[in-house]
């Protein structure tokens, strides 16, 4: 395999490993909930076991011995758990989370450097200690009256499941059924599904049928229902339900003994059972078994490839605009026949291009649930470190955002969540003293509003005292002691660089690198963040984001000879106003718009454009809005709408504020795209004079 092919294979492995880790994370959260309830779903434990086994095998193939070794130890611990050799407990789940965290770090590290590694000895020691922990009481199944003929054909795992069901007081049942060879798979699956709704199918064993064109099976299961009740649920007269132990229903009812029922007994099927059992063991997902075929029909695509595809679409969009201009020129020169044919072809091209653009956009969209799952892990870990009890309430996981926005949102969202856990949620004792439930709640809700997605992070913690924020701001010299600030303006101070209401720093927050960075990162995504809080009741942070930053429709405007693009998703309307209608209130220029006051932002003053000042009697205003806030951007001309492809300004120009990126207009002219969220945020704070 060449270097390029090898690099691609490793890239594919890392992508698949990350997918498995994300699934393991979700399943471990469910297992943790089960541990708190003192119960666990064996299918869930088996699923986690298979995940660890898969990542071990994949890592081994690519020579990542550290990933493979760690996954192997996790697999061993999970095997002990599924066999009842160790007890399920919150501590064991945390140990598995520790292992998963190290796996995540290894996989992410190797995406940057193949030789990246970690000191795994501490986490391996914890996993080993957990595997040597106390197991379930060693009780013989014979105590429950299970016959040796059944025990002799069960695997160790099936024996454990049988014992677990018996200890939980469930009735152990044997269901015998005969099927035609042509339909047995479908009918057997239907019976299994019905039994799973009312208990656990422990083993499915084939046995001899009563004719050559028949096949018989016996299913061993545990249920809280009795034999007769199970018999009624199955709604099939051609089967027998027997009680092996428990439930006091060992006698078979007449209805469960149809004349055509087979007599497949362990005695008659003794030789064939072990062979079939091996096959069933593989079907049940034992180590090394199961199909290698993917269940999902999705295809992972590198985001760089989608970016390349989107760039091509963007170029085609610009070419379409050029053809439309040529068409217009031909028409103005009097060649109406050729112009008409060209216009018709252009409209067809436009429709197809729109479909292609929408298709590529759809591929880039991912549900925010992927991001929320990572936050779930953060909440569990940090709340454990802080010894706080916290529940994460997640809603709107199917809301979709551009993949790149989701990726860039992860760090700001993590910071907000950690702040809520550290600053917001009180200790259990403090909550009890305040008459609150011991367990705090952090809500992580997503919803779509038009062309924007709103993500709310809400906690029911101690909230923020506006007066304390104000005093801190005065101490730091951010505002004067006598400044009159609205409630929103006070909370905006929290987004100032270095601002913190906490006197003592911690490992989690309070180091001065905080909400200002969060706000800047959100602004770079053309988003906006707002805060509201009530002391004693909690804090809410609302993040408003565009659905995508790739191809957007933009309003092209001109100011002092410079051309800019304003994302049309932020433009509510455009106005032409007389200069005399502009008023000044508290040193801010505003206009009256439908019985409300609209603050104005003069783009020439904001960017300190040096051309001659405009002395016109009329001004054009683009009214832009995000969330519930609006401002009017004053420009010299409105040139029309156009699809544009936003390009990043790069790290070297990342300090430029108020600009989201650059775009090509298709006529060899590059313009700047305004960061509406950032401009609004600073303008509404009254500080829009420091842009470069």
């Amino acid at each position: 395999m060449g270097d390029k092919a090898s690099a691609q294979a490793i890239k594919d492995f890392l992508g698949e490993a990350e997918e498995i880790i994300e699934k393991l994370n979700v399943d471990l959260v469910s297992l943790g909930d089960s541990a708190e309830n003192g119960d666990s779903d064996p299918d869930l434990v088996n699923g986690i076991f298979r995940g660890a086994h898969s990542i071990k095998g994949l890592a081994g193939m690519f020579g990542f011995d550290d990933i493979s070794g760690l996954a192997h130890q996790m697999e061993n611990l999970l095997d002990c758990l599924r066999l009842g050799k160790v007890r399920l407990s919150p501590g064991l789940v945390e140990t598995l989370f520790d292992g998963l965290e190290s796996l995540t770090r290894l996989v992410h590290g190797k995406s940057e450097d193949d030789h990246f590694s970690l000191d795994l000895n501490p986490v391996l020691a914890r996993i080993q200690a957990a595997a040597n922990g106390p197991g379930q009481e060693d009780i013989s199944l014979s105590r429950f009256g299970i016959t040796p003929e059944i025990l002799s054909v069960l695997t160790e795992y099936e024996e454990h499941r049988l014992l677990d069901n018996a200890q939980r007081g469930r009735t152990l049942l044997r269901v015998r059924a005969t099927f035609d060879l042509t339909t047995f798979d479908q009918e057997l699956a239907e019976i299994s599904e019905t039994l799973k709704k009312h208990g656990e199918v422990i083993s499915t064993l084939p046995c001899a049928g009563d004719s050559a064109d028949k096949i018989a099976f016996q299913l061993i299961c545990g249920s809280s229902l009795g034999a007769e009740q199970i018999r009624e649920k199955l709604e099939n007269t051609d089967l027998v339900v027997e009680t092996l132990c428990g439930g006091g229903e060992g006698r078979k009812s007449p209805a469960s003994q149809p004349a055509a029922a087979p007599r497949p007994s362990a005695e008659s099927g003794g030789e064939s059972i072990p062979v079939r059992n091996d096959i069933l063991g593989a079907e049940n997902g034992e180590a090394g078994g199961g199909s290698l075929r993917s269940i999902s029909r999705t295809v992972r695509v590198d985001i760089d490839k989608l970016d390349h595809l989107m760039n091509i679409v963007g170029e085609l969009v610009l070419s379409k605009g050029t053809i439309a201009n040529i068409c217009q020129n031909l028409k103005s020169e009097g060649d109406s026949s050729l112009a008409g044919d060209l216009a018709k072809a252009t409209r067809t091209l436009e429709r197809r291009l729109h479909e292609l653009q929408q298709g590529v956009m759809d591929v880039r969209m991912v549900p925010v649930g992927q991001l929320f799952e990572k936050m779930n892990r953060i909440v569990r870990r940090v709340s454990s470190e802080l010894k706080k009890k916290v529940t994460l309430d997640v809603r709107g996981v199917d809301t979709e955002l551009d993949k790149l926005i989701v990726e860039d949102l992860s760090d700001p969202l993590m910071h907000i969540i950690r702040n809520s856990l550290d600053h917001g949620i009180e200790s259990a004792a403090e909550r009890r003293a305040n008459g609150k439930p011991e367990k705090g709640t952090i809500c992580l809700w997503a919803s779509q509003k038009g062309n924007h997605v709103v993500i709310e992070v809400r906690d029911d913690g101690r909230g923020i005292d506006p007066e304390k924020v104000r005093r801190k701001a005065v101490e730091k010299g951010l505002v004067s002691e006598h400044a009159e600030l609205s409630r929103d303006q006070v909370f905006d101070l929290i987004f100032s660089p270095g601002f913190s209401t906490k006197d003592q720093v911690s490992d989690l927050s309070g180091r001065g690198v905080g909400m200002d960075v969060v706000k800047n990162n959100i602004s770079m995504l053309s988003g906006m963040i707002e805060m509201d809080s009530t002391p004693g009741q909690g804090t809410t942070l609302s993040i408003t984001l565009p659905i995508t930053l790739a191809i957007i429709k933009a309003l092209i405007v001109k100011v002092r000879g410079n051309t800019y693009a304003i994302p049309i998703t932020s433009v509510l309307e455009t106005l032409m106003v007389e200069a005399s209608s502009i008023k000044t209130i508290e040193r801010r220029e505003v206009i009256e718009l439908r019985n409300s006051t609209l603050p104005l932002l003069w783009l020439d003053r904001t960017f300190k454009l040096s051309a001659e000042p405009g002395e016109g009697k009329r001004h054009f205003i683009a009214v832009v809005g995000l969330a519930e806030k609006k401002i009017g951007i004053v420009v010299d001309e409105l040139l029309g709408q156009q699809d544009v492809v936003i390009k990043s300004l790069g790290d070297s120009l990342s300090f430029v504020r108020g600009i989201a990126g650059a775009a090509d207009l298709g006529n060899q002219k590059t313009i700047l795209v305004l960061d509406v969220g950032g401009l609004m945020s600073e303008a509404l704070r009254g500080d829009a004079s420091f842009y470069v």
Side-chain angles (χ1 to χ4, degrees):
M1 187 183 292
D3 290 345
K4 187 176 179 180
S6 177
Q8 183 59 45
I10 290 174
K11 204 172 182 179
D12 290 343
F13 155 73
L14 294 172
E16 187 165 357
E18 189 175 40
E19 199 171 90
I20 294 172
I21 286 172
E22 287 179 359
K23 178 70 167 57
L24 283 174
N25 179 61
V26 174
D27 288 347
L28 279 180
V29 170
S30 300
L31 188 66
D33 294 337
S34 300
E36 292 180 359
N37 299 329
D39 195 3
S40 65
D41 179 358
D43 288 342
L44 178 64
V45 177
N46 281 332
I48 300 171
F49 172 79
R50 285 195 296 271
H53 178 75
S54 297
I55 204 166
K56 180 186 78 170
L58 282 170
M61 286 171 57
F62 288 90
F64 294 131
D65 294 336
D66 45 0
I67 295 179
S68 179
L70 176 56
H72 177 65
Q73 292 302 320
M74 292 176 66
E75 183 188 17
N76 281 344
L77 176 56
L78 287 159
D79 197 32
C80 292
L81 178 63
R82 61 198 284 276
L83 293 176
K85 295 178 180 176
V86 295
R87 292 176 186 165
L88 177 62
S89 66
L92 185 142
V93 175
E94 288 308 315
T95 301
L96 288 170
F97 265 118
D98 287 347
L100 187 63
E101 185 73 29
S102 297
L103 276 181
T104 306
R105 290 174 61 195
L106 283 171
V107 169
H108 284 186
K110 290 186 188 302
S111 68
E112 303 290 334
D113 180 2
D114 291 354
H115 301 292
F116 176 86
S117 192
L118 293 170
D119 178 11
L120 298 174
N121 290 324
V123 68
L124 290 176
R126 285 198 295 277
I127 293 174
Q128 188 61 43
N132 294 330
Q136 294 183 0
E137 188 180 354
D138 189 12
I139 301 173
S140 171
L141 275 169
S142 58
R143 172 177 167 182
F144 296 94
I146 308 295
T147 59
E149 67 186 51
I150 293 178
L151 296 179
S152 64
V153 297
L154 297 181
T155 64
E156 185 182 4
Y157 172 71
E158 290 167 340
E159 283 188 8
H160 165 64
R161 295 311 312 154
L162 206 62
L163 181 63
D164 185 67
N165 275 270
Q167 288 181 309
R168 290 160 65 185
R170 285 181 162 184
T171 306
L172 298 183
L173 302 162
R174 174 162 55 185
V175 179
R176 300 180 179 187
T178 301
F179 309 101
D180 287 332
L181 281 174
T182 54
T183 59
F184 81 93
D185 51 348
Q186 183 180 349
E187 294 179 45
L188 180 62
E190 289 174 358
I191 290 177
S192 294
E193 284 302 312
T194 303
L195 291 173
K196 285 178 182 177
K197 291 178 183 175
H198 304 287
E200 179 184 355
V201 177
I202 296 168
S203 182
T204 304
L205 307 168
C207 49
D210 55 357
S211 65
D213 59 344
K214 298 277 187 179
I215 184 169
F217 286 89
Q218 54 180 344
L219 296 93
I220 310 298
C221 59
S223 173
S224 56
L225 302 181
E228 185 57 32
Q229 291 169 300
I230 288 291
R231 177 72 185 79
E232 292 172 358
K233 299 290 183 187
L234 290 172
E235 297 179 347
N236 186 336
T237 58
D238 195 20
L239 51 80
V240 177
V241 182
E242 294 176 294
T243 300
L244 297 176
C245 85
E249 297 187 28
R251 295 187 302 277
K252 290 175 279 188
S253 66
S256 64
Q257 301 179 64
R263 298 297 302 166
S265 63
E267 304 89 14
S268 61
E271 291 183 4
S272 62
I273 286 172
V275 176
R276 184 62 187 173
N277 190 52
D278 290 341
I279 298 170
L280 290 170
E283 288 176 352
N284 287 337
E286 299 286 337
S291 170
L292 292 178
R293 292 183 61 189
S294 173
I295 297 173
S296 169
R297 292 178 64 83
T298 57
V299 176
R300 279 195 303 274
V301 180
D302 191 320
I303 193 69
D304 290 339
K305 293 180 181 177
L306 289 179
D307 273 347
H308 179 62
L309 198 56
M310 184 57 82
N311 286 337
I312 294 174
V313 174
E315 297 298 331
L316 289 173
V317 169
L318 298 178
S319 299
K320 184 262 298 178
T322 304
I323 295 173
N325 287 336
I326 293 173
C327 178
Q328 192 64 34
N329 292 336
L330 284 173
K331 193 174 181 180
S332 61
E333 290 172 3
D335 197 343
S336 57
S337 175
L338 183 58
D341 292 342
L342 195 55
K344 188 176 179 181
T346 304
R347 285 194 292 272
T348 303
L349 172 65
E350 186 174 4
R351 282 196 299 273
R352 297 301 181 202
L353 205 50
H354 177 74
E355 292 172 3
L356 177 61
Q357 179 182 333
Q358 192 60 46
V360 177
M361 285 302 307
D362 287 345
V363 174
R364 294 172 62 97
M365 304 300 278
V366 296
V368 294
Q370 296 180 7
L371 178 60
F372 287 5
E373 287 166 6
K374 295 177 183 175
M375 296 304 121
N376 206 337
R377 190 168 64 207
I378 296 290
V379 169
R380 289 186 64 88
R381 195 185 67 204
V382 176
S383 61
S384 175
E385 290 173 6
L386 295 171
K387 302 188 187 313
K388 294 180 179 178
K389 297 180 178 178
V390 183
T391 297
L392 184 64
D393 178 7
V394 173
R395 300 184 193 179
V397 292
D398 294 330
T399 308
E400 291 190 327
L401 267 175
D402 189 299
K403 170 73 174 173
L404 287 181
I405 294 181
V406 168
E407 289 299 319
D408 290 342
L409 183 62
S410 58
D411 285 345
L413 198 57
M414 179 181 71
H415 194 94
I416 292 171
I417 295 280
R418 288 161 68 104
N419 259 352
S420 288
L421 289 163
D422 192 21
H423 291 263
I425 301 293
E426 312 94 328
S427 65
E430 189 178 347
R431 291 180 68 85
R432 280 197 304 273
N434 292 330
K436 291 183 174 181
E438 275 191 0
K439 209 169 198 178
T441 300
I442 294 179
C443 301
L444 189 53
W445 297 347
S447 59
Q448 185 170 348
K449 293 186 178 178
N451 289 315
H452 290 85
V453 165
V454 178
I455 295 177
E456 273 191 2
V457 183
R458 180 181 303 175
D459 68 63
D460 65 347
R462 57 174 64 92
I464 300 173
D465 181 358
E467 187 51 37
K468 185 176 180 182
V469 174
R470 182 190 168 85
R471 286 200 303 272
K472 279 284 181 183
V474 172
E475 284 175 19
K476 290 177 176 291
L478 296 174
V479 295
S480 69
E481 187 173 355
H482 304 292
E484 294 183 4
L485 300 175
S486 67
R487 181 184 175 85
D488 289 344
Q489 287 172 324
V490 170
F491 287 130
D492 275 345
L493 292 170
I494 292 175
F495 298 105
S496 303
F499 189 90
S500 175
T501 56
K502 199 166 186 177
D503 296 324
Q504 299 295 322
V505 299
S506 72
D507 290 338
L508 298 170
S509 54
R511 293 188 183 278
V513 180
M515 297 307 291
D516 61 317
V517 177
V518 169
K519 183 177 181 180
N520 288 340
N521 288 342
I522 298 293
S523 294
M524 289 172 68
L525 298 173
S526 294
M528 189 173 183
I529 183 167
E530 297 173 281
M531 174 182 283
D532 193 18
S533 184
T534 304
Q537 296 183 23
T539 302
T540 299
L541 281 153
S542 299
I543 302 170
T544 304
L545 295 161
I547 291 176
T548 182
L549 293 176
I551 292 183
I552 61 167
K553 191 173 283 296
L555 175 65
I556 311 301
V557 300
K558 202 165 189 177
V559 183
R560 302 290 183 267
N562 298 284
T563 307
Y564 298 93
I566 305 175
I568 205 74
T569 52
S570 303
V571 179
L572 304 177
E573 60 182 309
T574 55
L575 307 169
M576 184 176 68
V577 299
E578 300 290 335
S580 58
S581 63
I582 298 176
K583 311 294 181 188
T584 301
I585 299 177
E586 295 180 349
R587 293 181 295 174
R588 290 188 181 183
E589 288 176 298
V590 300
I591 60 170
E592 183 177 334
L593 181 63
R594 292 187 286 276
N595 298 322
S596 64
T597 302
L598 181 73
L600 299 181
L601 181 144
W602 295 76
L603 215 52
D604 53 346
R605 300 174 193 171
T606 301
F607 292 136
K608 299 182 175 62
L609 301 179
S610 57
E612 70 281 0
E615 298 293 342
K617 295 181 179 179
R618 295 177 177 175
H619 299 284
F620 290 97
I621 295 176
V623 181
V624 296
L626 283 177
E628 305 299 324
K629 297 182 178 178
K630 296 179 187 176
I631 61 168
I633 297 179
V634 185
V635 298
D636 295 340
E637 292 181 66
L638 303 175
L639 301 181
Q641 297 182 21
Q642 184 169 336
D643 289 329
V644 297
V645 182
I646 299 182
K647 305 288 185 184
S648 169
L649 293 181
D651 294 339
S652 58
L653 292 176
S654 59
F655 63 91
V656 179
R657 299 170 67 178
I659 300 296
D664 187 350
L665 289 183
N667 54 359
Q668 307 299 318
K669 187 172 183 179
T670 300
I671 62 172
L672 296 174
V673 182
L674 299 185
D675 168 18
V676 173
L679 285 171
M680 285 184 63
S681 181
E682 301 301 340
L684 293 172
R685 285 178 57 190
D687 187 6
S689 60
F690 47 80
Y691 296 93
V692 295

